[in-house]
Amino acid sequence: MSLPADFLTAVRQLMPAERLFDDPLSTLAFGTDASFYRLIPKLVARVESETEVIALLRLASRHQVPVTFRAAGTSLSGQAISDSVLIVLGDHWNAREVLDGGQRIRLQPGVIGAAANALLAPLQRKIGPDPASINAAKIGGIVANNSSGMCCGTAQNSYHTLSGMRMLLADGTLLDTEQPATVSTFRQSHAALLEQLAQLGQQTRANTELAERIRHKYRLKNTTGLSLNALVDFDDPLDILTHLMVGSEGTLGFISSVTYHTVAEHPHKASALLVFSDVETCCRAVPILKQQPVAAVELLDRRSLRSVENMPGMPGWVRELSAGACALLIESRAPSAALLTEQIAQTMAAVAHFEREKQVDFSTDPVVYNQLWKIRKETFPAVGAVRATGSTVIIEDVTFPVEKLAEGVNRLIQLFDKHGYAEAIIFGHALEGNLHFVFTQGFDSETEKARYEAFMQDVAQLVAAEFGGALKGEHGTGRNMAPFVELEWGSDAYQLMWAIKRLLDPQGILNPNVVLSEDPQIHLKHFKPLPAANPIIDKCIECGFCEPVCPSNGLTLTPRQRIVIWRDIQARKRAGVDTRELEANFQYQGIDSCAATGLCSQRCPVGINTGDLVRELRAEQAQHQGRARWLAEHFASVLKGTRLTLALANGVQRLLGAPRLQTVSSGLRKLSRQRLPQWTPAMPQPVKWVEPTPTATTSKPKVVYLPACVSRTMGPALTNGEQVSLLDKTRALLEKAGFEVVFPLALDNLCCGQPFASKGYPEQAESKREELLGALLQASAQGRYPIYCDTSPCTLKLLQNPADKRLDIYDPVRFIREHLLERLDFQPVDTAVAVHVTCSTQHLGEADALIAIARRCSTQVVIPEGIHCCGFAGDKGFTLPQLNAHSLRTLKDAVQFCEVGISTSRTCEIGLSSHSGIDYQGLVYLVDQVTRPMSIAKM
């Protein structure tokens, strides 16, 4: 059924067309969340203000149109999808305010959880909820799902740390519990609603059996159904209402902002792993550990340990554990090292009488505890990596009373065997009895659907009916547990939930069939297809963890959405459906506008690099093999031509001035149908190139300096306060540190191959890369000398596939870290410096080192939040400037008090300078500015 015409007309008058999506590609792209369900919305509205949400709710109410709210879409139970109107948060929901010295924090729903914690970190505070998805999940979803995690338990979730809330009800009414004026108005305008809530609370508290059942259920981790504990915990209907909103999954209203009481984030931590010979012994230790000063206790059954035992970096003893082994990963945190030592001793003494098969003692060494947590964090990806193409990975989330944990684990294992889930694993938050079990499931046949239904019925009976536990501990009810809410809670509590729903959403327009549903089969409908599309992406479960780091997120498509569309195109082709229109739209949205930097792979649980898929598709479309071959063979001529072009543009700039030239360039670009590149005032001047000649050999230590092709062609911009080229500045810095600088022969014809690879010409890319590696081998005396590459993307390219093992190739950060810190005397300046960590620096594992070097150079270092990739992507800043502009749309405000910016990629610095209002330059400029040669005595 289509949306009412009058509704659509009103919505289009309310919001600009560029934030309304109803085309087939966009609605399909937004039709998925992290769950195993799919619904295709008829309209997607990207809202940017409370006013727009109010108007949309009023229109939806008037026309009885269902709406669903979405923040990040990382929810696992199908609560962030819709076949009607999907309301998605835009950019302008990102406000945050630290209150009371960090004791409280006010957050809008678009703030990512990890960003809130980063703001609080200097105050040694954090928000209470700590879901595993905190690097992607947004506050709106965290509150609406009452998300928790490994450390927060029940005491520190959103419900228990809530200080205030600003919300919109189904009729568009605004209520801000922290503003007395709106509270007073609401008490008058909605007196009847508040009175009915008060009566529901009184009736619930008077029903002794029901009230005690509610209290019992919330002693456990429990997110099944609505938050009925609000009715027994509070008398004031306003308090009841705000706490009912927590965990309501968008079925009762829209959360416009939330104020949390924060919790302590202790700086000292240590982790240990205790392995027991059987589940029973392991679980008997849990109640004792619950009484100890521990922050987290994670249970890992033998199946989960087996799933990761052959992964790189895993200790060998994992493979040697017995068949029934069960482990507890324990973390303790404290405000001081001395107290941490006391806590560790107390904890180990408490469990000393339990016999252990293996033990890794508590350690504060990051190498040790990161390896232990790697075991825990790799379990979910391990199951995903072995699933059959076309099947999905399901992660369920149940809670047993802690005293019944051992029996619960064993009974779950029996159900895995009964229903044929041999790959299923169990892990979870043992202190709360909250277990996650992961299994793979296909939905492409009635037999598989029946197997899933039988399994879930058995799980529901086991957990809810037999053990009195919770079918959802932290993932939210969604639509996959909605049919089981009455089974878990009983008829009285279930009818109470429906009474609340009908009171606050009388027309049933808010996220129907989520949390509560009258359809007992809703959990068996609308399964998400995951058809084979390409081996690069076939393991994707569309979780959305990749989206925050994607520069095209909000402009075109995200990595998750690119995969959704490409899967659909391939499935349609196999079915004989014409896909030409969809592919034509995907060309710009999915292929052309992808930066292909691969940051998505760092956030992906199974390491998928969507950029690899895009490069493969570009290679299939590449039609200029001969031209690419000529360019590769005449690379020095190409660079010469580039310098001439830059010289011409520089001359025109001097003649016309920057504003007029920018206007002319924009006009020419439009006339050329976007074929001509966009000129900006940050456009570099040409480097005055002279092929370096061999220097006299000295007794100084030698370093081979490889200036990237961009460093050999692109000097500083005309307006830049620093006019020395990167090549000259780097050579001078290396010599200041006491090195003799050696250059490869025939340097100007050398290239790492990255420009060819990004355009879809892998053969030419590899040819140039091999040519360069050969030249570096010769220049480094067969690998005797270190090789310094001044551009991190080129370093990364050289180190891939892999590089010649005899060569030791450094990017600027690693070389400075390992060779210059000890050779130079640093005198930090009191200058505000913005740091941009390039994608390649992140891939090289040098992000923290770059920031550390910057802090050694300056007392004021700024790392702009939310800018993970600048979107310049080699030359896309010239050819697709909207990608660069979109990615850096928040940069200027973030660095407004900075005097200079640093990075490790010349092309990135062009875009950064264009959109920041300050000059960005290479890291070596800052290091050179603040250093002097170390005295001989110190060396």
Side-chain angles (χ1 to χ4, degrees), residues 631-802:
L631 292 172
E633 292 171 354
H634 300 83
F635 199 71
S637 299
V638 174
L639 297 190
K640 184 177 179 180
T642 303
R643 294 186 194 103
L644 288 172
T645 302
L646 291 174
L648 176 61
N650 190 249
V652 176
Q653 179 184 357
R654 292 175 184 273
L655 180 66
L656 297 181
R660 188 175 299 175
L661 178 55
Q662 194 161 9
T663 301
V664 170
S665 172
S666 179
L668 291 174
R669 180 169 167 78
K670 287 180 181 178
L671 288 174
S672 70
R673 297 183 180 179
Q674 315 304 315
R675 291 188 181 93
L676 289 176
Q678 176 68 52
W679 183 92
T680 75
M683 191 71 78
Q685 300 174 89
V687 167
K688 295 178 181 178
W689 175 251
V690 178
E691 189 81 32
T693 56
T695 58
T697 301
T698 68
S699 60
K700 294 178 181 179
K702 295 177 179 58
V703 58
V704 176
Y705 175 23
L706 170 64
C709 56
V710 292
S711 309
R712 306 195 301 268
T713 55
M714 298 180 181
L718 182 63
T719 56
N720 197 313
E722 173 62 75
Q723 288 295 301
V724 178
S725 71
L726 177 61
L727 191 157
D728 290 337
K729 182 65 70 173
T730 302
R731 176 163 46 187
L733 179 64
L734 294 173
E735 290 174 347
K736 181 199 292 188
F739 285 95
E740 179 183 339
V741 178
V742 178
F743 290 93
L745 296 176
L747 178 58
D748 216 27
N749 200 48
L750 300 177
C751 172
C752 69
Q754 181 63 29
F756 298 93
S758 64
K759 292 290 185 294
Y761 296 98
E763 181 182 339
Q764 290 79 8
E766 188 58 24
S767 172
K768 294 303 291 182
R769 180 177 171 275
E770 288 296 331
E771 178 186 13
L772 175 54
L773 289 173
L776 292 175
L777 191 62
Q778 180 181 359
S780 65
Q782 305 303 304
R784 285 173 55 200
Y785 312 143
I787 298 164
Y788 177 99
C789 179
D790 63 10
T791 302
S792 54
C794 301
T795 313
L796 180 65
K797 182 64 178 174
L798 288 172
L799 292 173
Q800 290 174 341
N801 297 330

